[in-house]
Amino acid sequence: MKRFKRITKGVIVFLLCIMAVLAVVTYFYMKQPQFGALPEGERLERIKKSAHYKDGKFRNLVEKPTLSEGYSFTGEIWEAITKKFPRTEPVDVLPSVKTDLKAISRDRNVIVWFGHSSFFLQVNGVRILVDPVFSGRIFPLPGKPDAYKGTDIYSVEDMPEIDYMLLSHDHYDHLDYETAKALQPKVKYVVCGLGAGAHYEKWGYTGQQIIEKDWGEQVDVKPGFTIFAENTHHESGRGFKGSQALWLSFYIQSPGMNVYYSGDGGYSSRFKEIAEKHPPIDWAIMECGQYNKAWQSVHELPEEVAKATAELKAKNLLPVHHSKFTLGKHPWDEPLKEITRYSQDKNYRLATPMIGEVVNLDDSTQVFKQWWKNIK
């Protein structure tokens, strides 16, 4: 019995030592710059004054469980490890177009989508870059997920000088360390939620470049041109402590064109409210992809995207958050198939450009192919 107790005690000590070593290794690994920084000092004091920051973290307007009823975190993790879902990424190389962004005249109103939620928007001569991820990866650890073949064709070097870079939230698939750091000399201003400026500051951005906003606040670009920071129902975080930087959607109002970008987030009443608050929306750029019934509260399903777009009273819909990385269980092309199906007989027009294809915002006759068909 004594020998058994000695062995048991030795095993426990050994396991505790292993756990301690792993904790130390993890601590120092998380100090690497790609994980960003938590807000502190004056930035943290400003955050604490926000009505949306309570008990040490940012909150959604209506709080509800991240996981839908009937699902569990352990069950979801176990299913992800043990079950293989069909066609979650394409076998074929996806078609794309390499557009010379620097050659696009300032007098054109255009969008160029780079896959997932990254896109270039030019309206009334203002160049805007949204949630850029050009490293081909969306997680700072070895292994999947990587960008699909044919999708990672743009780089920081391809970007023109940017007036405003917008960040919806600080998850890795929207805020990429390598991309953000390399873009710093090209970006005049970055507009992000409260707290997210800590990441950019750590990565070499100056205080003059960083504009942090709370929900309902705005950035006055020039007469008649305003960027509004609006709410969404989501979360944030790059380390163990989550929801320390606010997540945003954006309403961009310009003299000749109004654009709304949803960012990530589950369906809520905000779409009706935004339509009531702001002038008519010409283009709605909506998250549509990497969804899951289990995570429906923080990622819309395609039928909800169609419903939300109709409630926004948008004239045109461009779905994003798909066709570059696999983060959901659905077939890679399902978001495009489903939003096409749900958009039939709606009052808005659906735009489904290839990666890199120029979307002419003023041209209501532009035709978009269903480029995903017949791709394995």
Side-chain angles (χ1 to χ4, degrees), residues 281-298:
I281 296 170
D282 296 289
W283 283 85
I285 304 168
M286 303 286 284
E287 176 205 19
C288 182
Q290 314 321 311
Y291 47 78
N292 184 339
K293 280 280 188 180
W295 307 96
Q296 191 174 350
S297 70
V298 290

Side-chain angles (χ1 to χ4, degrees), residues 87-96 147-151 323-324 332-333 371-376:
R87 302 186 63 251
T88 54
E89 62 180 77
V91 175
D92 297 339
V93 176
L94 296 192
S96 59
Y148 302 156
K149 291 179 288 186
T151 64
S323 300
K324 190 169 184 178
W332 74 270
D333 54 357
W371 55 265
W372 58 92
K373 287 190 170 183
N374 302 318
I375 293 178
K376 296 179 181 179

Side-chain angles (χ1 to χ4, degrees), residues 10 46 69 82 124 151 171 199 257 292 334 357 362:
R46 184 189 172 195
E69 186 176 351
T82 61
N124 283 98
T151 64
H171 284 161
H199 302 310
M257 181 75 56
N292 184 339
E334 182 181 284
E357 182 180 358
D362 297 315

Side-chain angles (χ1 to χ4, degrees), residues 202-337:
K202 182 171 184 176
W203 299 338
Y205 284 69
T206 66
Q208 289 72 31
Q209 285 180 288
I210 302 168
I211 303 173
E212 294 177 73
K213 292 296 180 181
D214 202 345
W215 293 335
E217 294 182 342
Q218 65 190 59
V219 178
D220 296 319
V221 176
K222 60 183 181 181
F225 199 122
T226 305
I227 300 172
F228 295 87
E230 296 292 355
N231 75 86
T232 181
H233 187 98
H234 201 53
E235 53 198 10
S236 67
R238 298 175 71 83
F240 295 120
K241 193 174 183 180
S243 298
Q244 299 303 298
L246 190 59
W247 42 99
L248 305 175
S249 63
F250 292 97
Y251 180 90
I252 302 165
Q253 182 177 332
S254 76
M257 181 75 56
N258 299 320
V259 178
Y260 174 72
Y261 170 49
S262 70
D264 282 9
Y267 177 79
S268 73
S269 62
R270 69 184 180 277
F271 302 107
K272 290 180 180 178
E273 293 162 1
I274 286 169
E276 293 171 358
K277 179 179 178 180
H278 293 293
I281 296 170
D282 296 289
W283 283 85
I285 304 168
M286 303 286 284
E287 176 205 19
C288 182
Q290 314 321 311
Y291 47 78
N292 184 339
K293 280 280 188 180
W295 307 96
Q296 191 174 350
S297 70
V298 290
H299 289 287
E300 289 180 286
L301 304 179
E303 55 266 40
E304 294 174 315
V305 176
K307 181 181 179 181
T309 305
E311 291 178 348
L312 286 166
K313 299 179 182 178
K315 297 176 184 176
N316 301 276
L317 164 63
L318 195 159
V320 297
H321 210 250
H322 60 83
S323 300
K324 190 169 184 178
F325 302 106
T326 295
L327 293 171
K329 302 174 183 177
H330 56 71
W332 74 270
D333 54 357
E334 182 181 284
L336 288 163
K337 290 179 177 178

